[in-house]
Amino acid sequence: METRIITTKEIALAAAEIACGGLVAFPTETVYGLGADASDPVAIDKIYAAKGRPKDNPFIVHCASISDAEKAAYITEDARKLFELFSPGPLTVVLKKKPLVCAAATAGLDTVGIRIPASPAARLLIKKSGKLIAAPSANISGRVSPTSAQEVFEALDGKIAYILDGGECSVGIESVIISLAGDSPVILRPGKITRNELQQALEKDVLMKTSAGDSAPVAPGMKYTHYSPKIPTVGFTDIDKATAAAANEKDSVIIAPESLLNWEIGNFLSLGFTIDSAMRRLYSSLLLAEKEFSKIYLFVFPDGDDTDGLNNRIRKAIHSDLE
Ligand code: TXA
Ligand code: MG
């Protein structure tokens, strides 16, 4: 199959592809998604096949509005509060599912993750296709998520007909996932919207349960390796130690905030000056490093409410820590 990158001028092609049971990669503000009609189990199977994704790992259902979301899930009062405050935006809320979403899309769970993406192209695609769109990130399972149409092309060339180009993703890491399906709110995956922000919005405690334990992990995906570069990736906090280690290896690269970099020694990729820029640049830096180098030294940020999401992805990317 020929894979074409198209712009929103040709969005009708992408919408028709979704409506007739095909797959389309599309932009969101977090990462690119690989979408299909959430009500069509045959279409959903194509996503699992294209990504090589384990079948027990459910997809998030993308909606254009809160009234769309009501077709897919039972919206609680707390969920409405969060959607009104943070959507469209990088928020996924897990809720009791309605029958419109097929069982394959949620891997048989009676809950569904609902997200209203900020990207106008994503919401236009949902509206024009007349479908709710189930979509994981548009990477091969276990690999780094794409934040540009070109990165999607490199991952999925030949497997899908269209990649809708919406430019580079402005957030850069996947949405925060909060479950409101249990007795109390739980974060299953941290993101740009922080635990404090969610607690303030809900005026109640929000637990953080981001790694899968032995007993019934609530986010099935958390038990799989994610975001992993193909080359050895070493985490560090001390830039002097990383610079010294990298100095002996001409094929290694240091990925760190701009303020830590000394451009005269070694190879560097900058994460910019802020936590937001680091989120935005992390995945594209990892994908670029994989192509051009043979080892990565990746900065681990100080822990904090605003770095939970970023550090979660960084820790999943690194294979070992610099002693
Ligand atoms: O920002 C994002 O959320 C991106 C864009 C494309 O929207 N999507 C994304 O999807 O990151 P994916 O499939 O790569 O990650 C979804 C995660 C998985 O870990 C999955 O296990 C979890 O969400 N998940 C989905 N439905 C769930 C449910 N009903 N209950 C618990 N976890 C769920
Ligand atoms: Mg993913």
Side-chain angles (χ1 to χ4, degrees):
M1 179 186 308
E2 192 204 351
T3 301
R4 274 186 62 210
I5 298 182
I6 60 172
T7 68
T8 44
K9 277 190 190 159
E10 289 185 285
I11 199 165
L13 292 173
E17 184 73 13
I18 295 279
C20 72
L23 304 185
V24 170
F26 64 98
T28 83
E29 72 282 16
T30 58
V31 299
Y32 274 70
L34 178 59
D37 175 0
S39 67
D40 178 351
V42 177
I44 295 297
D45 265 359
K46 294 180 190 166
I47 308 183
Y48 282 109
K51 271 183 73 90
R53 170 134 156 165
K55 286 247 177 142
D56 62 350
N57 197 1
F59 302 138
I60 291 168
V61 172
H62 296 69
C63 303
S65 61
I66 299 181
S67 59
D68 259 6
E70 281 171 333
K71 299 177 200 156
Y74 295 92
I75 310 293
T76 61
E77 212 173 294
D78 279 350
R80 188 172 299 278
K81 257 191 217 168
L82 293 184
F83 283 131
E84 283 173 358
L85 256 179
F86 298 114
S87 290
L91 168 78
T92 296
V93 183
V94 173
L95 295 161
K96 291 280 178 238
K97 140 187 182 332
K98 286 188 178 171
L100 174 68
V101 178
C102 69
T106 61
L109 296 178
D110 63 354
T111 57
V112 60
I114 301 287
R115 167 156 146 68
I116 306 171
S119 160
R123 279 179 292 136
L124 198 60
L125 181 66
I126 297 164
K127 284 190 195 144
K128 290 214 181 268
S129 67
K131 306 289 182 187
L132 303 184
I133 299 184
S137 46
N139 51 291
I140 297 294
S141 196
R143 304 291 330 289
V144 177
S145 300
T147 56
S148 71
Q150 183 58 34
E151 288 166 1
V152 177
F153 186 83
E154 283 163 25
L156 297 177
D157 182 21
K159 297 191 167 175
I160 55 176
Y162 300 112
I163 300 168
L164 183 59
D165 191 348
E168 283 178 22
C169 301
S170 60
V171 173
I173 64 167
E174 298 86 346
S175 58
V176 62
I177 304 178
I178 180 169
S179 173
L180 298 180
D183 294 336
S184 48
V186 186
I187 294 172
L188 307 179
R189 178 178 71 185
K192 181 181 164 75
I193 300 169
T194 70
R195 181 184 182 193
N196 282 347
E197 288 174 310
L198 293 166
Q199 292 191 141
Q200 274 167 21
L202 293 174
E203 297 176 274
K204 53 175 91 160
D205 274 352
V206 175
L207 298 174
M208 181 78 89
K209 184 178 179 187
T210 56
S211 58
D214 292 335
S215 59
V218 219
M222 301 314 284
K223 70 175 184 254
Y224 298 106
T225 323
H226 273 81
Y227 325 117
S228 234
K230 281 190 242 169
I231 56 175
T233 303
V234 179
F236 74 90
T237 52
D238 183 332
I239 188 71
D240 294 329
K241 284 188 187 162
T243 310
N248 303 318
E249 305 161 341
K250 76 174 174 23
D251 276 345
S252 65
V253 62
I254 295 176
I255 302 179
E258 180 90 21
S259 55
L260 294 181
L261 300 181
N262 174 352
W263 294 95
E264 268 138 59
I265 320 170
N267 305 311
F268 294 108
L269 289 171
S270 168
L271 293 175
F273 285 100
T274 64
I275 290 166
D276 282 357
S277 73
M279 287 185 213
R280 195 163 53 242
R281 292 177 180 206
L282 176 66
Y283 289 160
S284 57
S285 301
L286 292 174
L287 287 170
L288 181 65
E290 267 186 3
K291 279 196 226 161
E292 302 199 346
F293 299 96
S294 56
K295 185 173 182 182
I296 298 169
Y297 290 92
L298 178 58
F299 183 69
V300 181
F301 285 70
D303 282 320
D305 185 56
D306 55 346
T307 53
D308 272 345
L310 179 61
N311 270 349
N312 171 275
R313 306 315 190 276
I314 287 172
R315 293 210 173 90
K316 281 171 179 284
I318 60 189
H319 307 123
S320 62
D321 285 302
L322 191 60
E323 290 305 322

